[in-house]
Amino acid sequence: MEPPVRLASTGTIIHGVSVGELLGVSTLAEARLIAGESGLGRIVQRLNVMEVPDILAWVKPHELLLTTGYPLRNTPQSLGRLVADLDERGLAALAIKLGRYVDELPSAMAEQADRLGFPLILLPNDVGFDDILNQVLTDILNRQAAVLVRAEEAHRALVQVVLAGGGLDEVTTEVAALLDVSVAAVDGRGRVLASAGPHEAALRESITRDWPPGAAASPGARTAVSVPVIAGGHHHGRIVAYSPSGDIRDSDVGILERAATVAALAVTRQEAVNAVESKYRADFLRDVLTGRAGSAERVVVRARAFGWDLERPVTVLVAELDPDGDERTAQDRLVTCWTAAMRRHDPRGAVAGFSHEVVAVVDASVDAARIAKDAASAFADTPPVTFSTGTSRPSRGPETLPEAYSQALKAARVGRQLHGPGAVAHFDQLGVYRLLSLVNDTDELHAFVRETLGPLASDDDAENADLRRTLQVLLETNLNVAETARRLHFHYNTLRYRIGKLERLLGNFTDDPHLRLNLTLALHVLRMRGI
């Protein structure tokens, strides 16, 4: 029966030496490679001696297995299968002494070792296993100690960068100097946030062309390596190292992992700073848009401190999340998308997120519809959440910004009512709805609806909505009975019956143009319910 596979962890030994390097130590100076030359790059982290026939149950990955062949002296035919079994269990190499228990290795064994890249080493008879164990383990432990010291020094240097107030630029510069490779900090979308190193341009091109970057397959050395930057349980991107010569070693990966931890600290700190700044910006812009920020001179000065220019003619845009979406997750994303769009089109424009909307104040000469389109395109990867956008008339100064904000907000909400979620509307394009939205006394509007539509103003009866629809189409077609019947898919006689019922409820609107105007306005107000 096949012996069980015991793949134990590597314990505290996480670095080692390659098989090729081991062949250069003094105790193995006269050792000879029999087969498996392509596997000289395999890493040795421990040693083991084969003393029992069921050795497969006790081996571990990255071991150099030493044997005299004693356990196999009576079953030399099993040597052919031994190489495949050891390779399957992740061993680094097999070193054997011939002549005492096993005279020679079968050719099939060497052929298989060459095919698998599994090194077979012939040991000199005058060297004891204890000498090999002592020297090789000493070399491995020294290598491990040196790697740990280097990693600790790198960690202290990186932490000092953050403690001194450095960010991702300083972290990448420090890592590039420590490893002599090119290093970049990349966000989750593959955008380079900071980079440094001798091949910085090639690294940026590689990331742009092939994200995420691949790694070389050869053990112990790579062309490109990326490690995740995780903070607060969130994935913030990656630290990427690049070397065209492919000399990024396993020990370098450990330093990159420490750099990712330090980068996470920098990211978390910057997020905290951004959150505070964002709150100050939002509070100030809210005060400006509600007329509570003080004089125009004071508004201009404070806005300039945020990098905003509110002295020029501007337009106010309001992006409001549509109902039925998950505002908790979508609001932050909405702010991010609008901020990025504003940065591209108007770097001096103001943008801030409120509770469930984003407000932007942009140069009046900028195409506001283009900004809204770019923000919507970036936001489209978070379905099914959508937002509606409203645009104001141009504002000539800080004093008129509250009025412009009110216009943009009304345009967003009326646009949603008229065109559904995701609408983009300008205040001047609302037609009669613009006039109705300027009536501040909504109770008066609702009273007008009740007086004009009578029982059709409510939905107490299920038939009311159907009759209102019939009335609306009749008014839209200028009382063209045939066209109305076609649109509503009614028989002509059915529609004549409904017209008679509507006139009994509302009055003789077919002969009274003033009544028809009142009915049209009342239906418009009813469509604006909730605005």
Side-chain angles (χ1 to χ4, degrees):
M1 188 174 88
E2 186 76 13
V5 179
R6 227 179 64 149
L7 295 179
S9 68
T10 58
T12 57
I13 302 295
I14 59 174
H15 299 284
V17 295
S18 68
V19 175
E21 290 175 308
L22 286 184
L23 291 176
V25 302
S26 58
T27 54
L28 296 176
E30 297 182 10
R32 182 165 57 88
L33 182 69
I34 302 175
E37 183 176 1
S38 62
L40 289 178
R42 293 187 180 218
I43 301 300
V44 177
Q45 293 180 345
R46 53 167 56 82
L47 285 84
N48 198 353
V49 178
M50 185 177 181
E51 295 179 333
V52 292
D54 60 342
I55 188 63
L56 295 176
W58 307 101
V59 296
K60 302 183 181 77
H62 302 295
E63 278 187 344
L64 170 62
L65 184 60
L66 307 175
T67 183
T68 59
Y70 177 78
L72 304 172
R73 65 191 186 285
N74 296 323
T75 56
Q77 66 277 7
S78 63
L79 287 173
R81 176 61 190 167
L82 181 62
V83 169
D85 290 336
L86 296 177
D87 177 71
E88 183 179 344
R89 284 156 176 78
L91 265 73
L94 173 65
I96 188 170
K97 287 185 177 182
L98 296 178
R100 186 170 183 181
Y101 301 108
V102 177
D103 293 329
E104 61 181 7
L105 299 179
S107 58
M109 185 177 185
E111 292 173 359
Q112 192 169 47
D114 283 329
R115 186 168 58 254
L116 297 174
F118 183 83
L120 288 180
I121 301 171
L122 178 61
L123 295 174
N125 289 322
D126 58 346
V127 176
F129 284 173
D130 57 338
D131 295 329
I132 297 175
L133 291 169
N134 287 335
Q135 185 173 17
V136 173
L137 286 176
T138 298
D139 286 351
I140 291 175
L141 292 175
N142 288 341
R143 180 74 62 87
Q144 173 82 356
V147 167
L148 292 177
V149 168
R150 180 170 177 251
E152 186 61 29
E153 291 175 349
H155 184 69
R156 281 200 297 268
L158 291 168
V159 170
Q160 187 58 40
V161 166
V162 176
L163 292 178
L168 293 178
D169 286 324
E170 290 75 14
V171 170
T172 54
T173 299
E174 185 70 24
V175 177
L178 288 169
L179 304 182
D180 194 25
V181 298
S182 297
V183 180
V186 184
D187 66 13
R189 299 168 65 88
R191 184 167 57 96
V192 177
L193 304 177
S195 62
H199 308 287
E200 182 178 349
L203 170 59
R204 285 177 172 266
E205 181 182 354
S206 173
I207 292 174
T208 303
R209 183 180 63 251
D210 179 26
W211 175 255
S218 58
R222 301 169 177 85
T223 299
V225 173
S226 64
V227 295
V229 176
I230 300 175
H234 299 287
H235 192 288
H236 294 277
R238 292 180 174 273
I239 295 292
V240 182
Y242 172 78
S243 173
S245 58
D247 54 1
I248 301 177
R249 298 162 294 178
D250 288 341
S251 58
D252 297 336
V253 177
I255 293 178
L256 288 172
E257 290 171 346
R258 292 175 182 248
T261 301
V262 174
L265 293 175
V267 169
T268 303
R269 183 192 63 195
Q270 188 59 47
E271 284 185 343
V273 172
N274 291 342
V276 174
E277 291 181 349
S278 178
K279 183 179 184 305
Y280 278 121
R281 285 194 297 267
D283 289 346
F284 172 62
L285 187 58
R286 184 183 290 107
D287 288 344
V288 171
L289 298 176
T290 54
R292 300 196 304 265
S295 65
E297 293 76 11
R298 182 172 182 271
V299 168
V300 168
V301 171
R302 287 198 61 188
R304 195 177 295 127
F306 288 117
W308 302 341
D309 182 2
L310 301 185
E311 292 182 278
R312 55 188 176 166
V314 294
T315 301
V316 177
L317 292 88
V318 171
E320 189 176 51
L321 288 172
D322 294 320
D324 303 326
D326 187 351
E327 293 186 6
R328 293 172 301 175
T329 58
Q331 179 64 18
D332 290 343
R333 180 68 179 150
L334 185 65
V335 174
T336 300
C337 293
W338 271 90
T339 302
M342 285 286 294
R343 189 179 296 118
R344 287 192 297 271
H345 293 275
D346 185 10
R348 295 186 301 158
V351 60
F354 298 165
S355 58
H356 62 288
E357 66 188 33
V358 173
V359 179
V361 182
V362 304
D363 190 331
S365 64
V366 174
D367 186 352
R370 181 62 183 172
I371 297 178
K373 183 178 180 181
D374 286 358
S377 177
F379 192 73
D381 60 357
T382 58
V385 184
T386 58
F387 64 87
S388 296
T389 306
T391 307
S392 74
R393 292 169 172 170
S395 170
R396 294 297 174 182
E399 301 92 342
T400 58
L401 281 176
E403 181 183 355
Y405 171 61
S406 177
Q407 293 171 358
L409 190 60
K410 288 174 181 176
R413 295 179 178 178
V414 173
R416 181 190 297 116
Q417 289 287 335
L418 297 179
H419 308 296
V424 179
H426 192 287
F427 184 73
D428 283 341
Q429 298 171 345
L430 299 181
V432 68
Y433 294 100
R434 184 181 79 208
L435 298 177
L436 293 174
S437 68
L438 294 176
V439 179
N440 294 324
D441 190 348
T442 56
D443 290 338
E444 187 64 30
L445 284 176
H446 294 158
F448 171 74
V449 171
R450 290 192 300 271
E451 293 168 3
T452 306
L453 294 180
L456 295 187
S458 70
D459 290 327
D460 295 338
D461 189 331
E463 188 183 14
N464 287 347
D466 195 27
L467 287 173
R468 286 199 306 268
R469 172 63 177 158
T470 302
L471 176 62
Q472 180 179 332
V473 177
L474 275 169
L475 295 172
E476 288 175 355
T477 61
N478 198 24
L479 301 182
N480 187 321
V481 178
E483 176 62 16
T484 302
R486 187 189 66 80
R487 286 195 192 182
L488 297 176
H489 306 288
F490 287 161
H491 189 276
Y492 183 86
N493 291 336
T494 302
L495 183 57
R496 296 300 307 179
Y497 167 77
R498 283 177 170 250
I499 293 174
K501 187 171 184 177
L502 285 169
E503 290 197 315
R504 288 192 296 273
L505 292 171
L506 305 174
N508 188 18
F509 64 89
T510 56
D511 294 326
D512 187 345
H514 296 290
L515 178 56
R516 289 200 297 272
L517 175 60
N518 288 342
L519 291 172
T520 300
L521 290 175
L523 289 174
H524 283 325
V525 173
L526 206 57
R527 289 189 67 186
M528 293 173 61
R529 182 180 297 166
I531 298 175

